[in-house]
């Protein structure tokens, strides 16, 4: 997925983007800001690796974290909504997952949950099972998928 295509679509739609990232550690924001001229589209990125950061920076509910865990569509939804609420942007994507190594029977390595928030619309979520590809590959796949979600949101 091309970060340039995401930026072009956002520019054409007059939308600014925020990111809320956990397992990707800022990779989505980095991919977008690697493109010259991205400052006209990218408003800010939140790297909220810890649960406390999710709570403090994005307003994710401790109850949601306790009940569903950080790797859940419920938390991804609250992360995306929180990014939108704490930024001057109209579109926000969130990423939370298990890049590996590790995981469990209920939350395997390679599971990544995504959220998308757009002003005036309900938050949407999805989960991708990338599998045990290894930490770097899962993070790259999650970054590419987050960019695809952003592009799809503007189509």
């Amino acid at each position: 997925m091309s970060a340039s295509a995401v930026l072009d679509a956002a520019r054409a739609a007059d939308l600014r983007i925020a990111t809320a990232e956990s397992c990707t550690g800022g990779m989505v924001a980095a991919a977008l800001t690697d493109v010259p001229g991205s400052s006209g589209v990218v408003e800010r990125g939140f790297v909220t690796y810890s649960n406390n950061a999710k709570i403090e920076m994005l307003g994710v509910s401790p109850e949601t974290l306790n009940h569903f865990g950080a790797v859940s569509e419920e938390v991804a939804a609250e992360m995306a909504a929180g990014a939108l609420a704490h930024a001057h942007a109209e579109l926000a994507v969130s990423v939370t997952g298990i890049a590996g190594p590790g995981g469990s029977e209920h939350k395997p390595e390679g599971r990544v949950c995504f959220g998308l928030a757009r002003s005036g619309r309900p938050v949407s979520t999805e989960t991708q099972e990338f599998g045990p590809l290894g930490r770097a590959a899962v993070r790259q796949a999650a970054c590419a998928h987050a960019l695809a979600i952003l592009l799809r949101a503007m189509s």
Side-chain angles (χ1 to χ4, degrees):
M1 177 48 48
S2 163
S4 294
V6 172
L7 295 170
D8 290 344
R11 213 172 277 111
D14 196 29
L15 296 173
R16 292 183 50 90
I17 296 171
T19 64
E21 302 179 64
S22 187
C23 68
T24 48
M27 291 172 71
V28 178
L32 291 167
T33 59
D34 276 348
V35 180
S38 59
S39 62
V41 173
V42 179
E43 206 282 321
R44 70 184 72 184
F46 298 91
V47 176
T48 57
Y49 209 70
S50 72
N51 285 351
N52 281 341
K54 290 172 182 66
I55 294 165
E56 293 169 9
M57 296 173 71
L58 299 173
V60 172
S61 162
E63 291 77 19
T64 304
L65 283 160
N66 288 335
H67 187 72
F68 297 102
V71 180
S72 64
E73 289 189 13
E74 291 81 3
V75 168
E78 290 188 19
M79 288 173 66
L84 201 61
H86 292 89
H88 302 283
E90 297 78 35
L91 190 61
V93 67
S94 66
V95 185
T96 182
I98 301 172
S104 70
E105 179 183 337
H106 299 290
K107 293 192 179 179
E109 180 180 328
R111 176 174 291 170
V112 182
C113 301
F114 300 87
L116 180 80
R118 185 165 176 180
S119 297
R121 298 186 187 177
V123 175
S124 62
T125 60
E126 64 182 78
T127 298
Q128 291 293 312
E129 302 286 352
F130 296 112
L133 307 173
R135 186 173 182 80
V138 169
R139 294 177 78 217
Q140 284 292 339
C143 178
H145 193 76
L147 292 172
I149 288 171
L150 286 168
L151 189 58
R152 189 172 66 222
M154 293 180 279
S155 323

